[in-house]
Amino acid sequence: MRHRKLLCALALAAPLAIAPGITGCGDSAPAGGSRGTSPAPATTSPEDLCTALITKWGRQIYDSGEEIYGDYQSMGLSNGQYMILRDTLDLARAERERQGAGAGRELIGREARERCEKRYRHGEPSGGPWV
């Protein structure tokens, strides 16, 4: 529920963040024509965001010893990312049986990175961001 509230708050705030740029009400350029040298805002690549989400949820679920709970949307995941999470947890649990809890936990980060990079190797996944 907490995640849904956060997502709703972000969805409501997004239009306010982009409105000045669309309406021309944002910082205007000085008379000389140059806007200055401030850097562009930092963005997170789709593969980095995917990796962070899968690693966060994967380790949380792995450490709790529980099965996956809730639906993928309440976790902020797409269906494709949820499938990566499920597969990664299966591999991590098998690794825990072979090599111990630490090895399974490390596998989550490696596997999430590899699978997310593969998923987003051409930018957005085919079918849109929620697939």
Side-chain angles (χ1 to χ4, degrees):
M1 185 66 163
R2 186 177 78 210
H3 301 291
R4 189 168 297 221
K5 287 181 182 178
L6 176 61
L7 289 173
C8 289
L10 291 172
L12 292 173
L16 297 175
I18 62 171
I22 293 172
T23 62
C25 297
D27 297 339
S28 59
S34 173
R35 284 200 136 218
T37 58
S38 62
T43 60
T44 303
S45 69
E47 59 271 12
D48 287 344
L49 180 58
C50 173
T51 300
L53 287 168
I54 302 303
T55 301
K56 177 223 182 277
W57 285 111
R59 289 184 176 161
Q60 182 175 328
I61 294 165
Y62 178 83
D63 290 344
S64 74
E66 297 178 12
E67 290 299 314
I68 294 180
Y69 58 89
D71 74 320
Y72 64 90
Q73 291 174 334
S74 69
M75 296 177 186
L77 302 175
S78 69
N79 184 55
Q81 291 167 338
Y82 184 67
M83 297 311 295
I84 292 172
L85 174 62
R86 290 176 55 133
D87 293 345
T88 299
L89 279 169
D90 288 344
L91 292 170
R93 289 173 178 142
E95 184 72 5
R96 177 174 50 201
E97 294 297 317
R98 288 189 301 274
Q99 301 291 326
R105 196 165 205 283
E106 288 178 20
L107 180 138
I108 292 170
R110 287 192 316 270
E111 198 66 27
R113 168 58 60 192
E114 182 180 311
R115 288 174 182 246
C116 289
E117 284 178 352
K118 183 177 178 184
R119 177 173 171 76
Y120 293 98
R121 68 184 170 275
H122 300 295
E124 291 295 322
S126 60
W130 295 106
V131 177

